[in-house]
């Protein structure tokens, strides 16, 4: 699956977002080692703290479905932003915990702009299990 196809899946997931408060929809598509795509969207809550980002929804869904950590192949995120959307700090920490540091991260927006990086580049100096 190429990055555009993965971004297209993220756009589909974005439409499923539950955002009654911010109206800011984000979608994510996570490709596992078997070629399966796990979708995620942001899910808001009136208490704000329990709100979950699209990236964490996709990652947690895949882990719950039995996909072993560090076997993911790529992740794509899409939001209605002026530049390609980037994961928040919490999502960056979860990504470094569950994904390989060299895993590609495709970030896009609804205008079709795309930026590509890696999980490791998103969070230099990350706190990992080696630090415990």
């Amino acid at each position: 699956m190429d990055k555009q196809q993965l971004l297209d899946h993220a756009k589909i997931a974005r439409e499923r977002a539950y955002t009654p408060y911010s109206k800011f929809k984000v979608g994510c598509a996570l490709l596992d080692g078997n070629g399966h795509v796990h979708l995620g969207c942001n899910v808001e809550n009136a208490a704000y703290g329990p709100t979950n980002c699209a990236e964490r929804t996709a990652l947690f869904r895949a882990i719950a479905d039995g996909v072993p950590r560090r076997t993911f192949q790529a992740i794509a995120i899409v939001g209605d932003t002026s530049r390609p959307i980037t994961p928040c700090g919490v999502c960056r920490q979860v990504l470094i915990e569950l994904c390989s540091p060299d895993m590609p991260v495709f970030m896009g927006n609804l205008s079709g702009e795309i930026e590509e990086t890696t999980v490791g580049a998103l969070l230099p100096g990350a706190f990992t299990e080696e630090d415990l």
Side-chain angles (χ1 to χ4, degrees):
M1 175 170 298
D2 68 23
K3 69 179 159 187
Q4 188 56 57
Q5 290 172 312
L6 203 57
L7 285 158
D8 289 343
H9 282 290
K11 287 179 185 175
I12 292 167
R14 182 185 168 276
E15 293 305 315
R16 299 176 183 171
Y18 175 71
T19 59
Y21 310 106
S22 73
K23 310 289 190 248
F24 184 70
K25 296 180 177 185
V26 179
C28 180
L30 176 67
L31 180 64
D32 71 23
N34 292 322
H36 185 264
V37 177
H38 303 268
L39 299 182
C41 60
N42 53 325
V43 179
E44 293 182 345
N45 188 280
Y48 295 118
T51 294
N52 205 50
C53 296
E55 299 92 326
R56 284 182 283 142
T57 299
L59 285 159
F60 296 165
R61 180 181 192 176
I63 293 293
D65 285 343
V67 180
R69 75 182 193 114
R70 309 245 173 175
T71 63
F72 302 111
Q73 301 300 304
I75 193 166
I77 309 126
V78 173
D80 188 9
T81 50
S82 60
R83 61 185 174 96
I85 194 166
T86 63
C88 75
V90 173
C91 288
R92 291 173 191 220
Q93 181 63 43
V94 172
L95 281 161
I96 204 73
E97 179 80 16
L98 299 178
C99 304
S100 170
D102 62 346
M103 187 184 86
V105 178
F106 308 123
M107 302 166 292
N109 64 14
L110 297 183
S111 299
E113 295 175 78
I114 301 168
E115 288 183 16
E116 184 176 341
T117 190
T118 64
V119 168
L122 282 173
L123 192 60
F127 184 80
T128 65
E129 65 255 22
E130 288 84 26
D131 296 310
L132 299 176

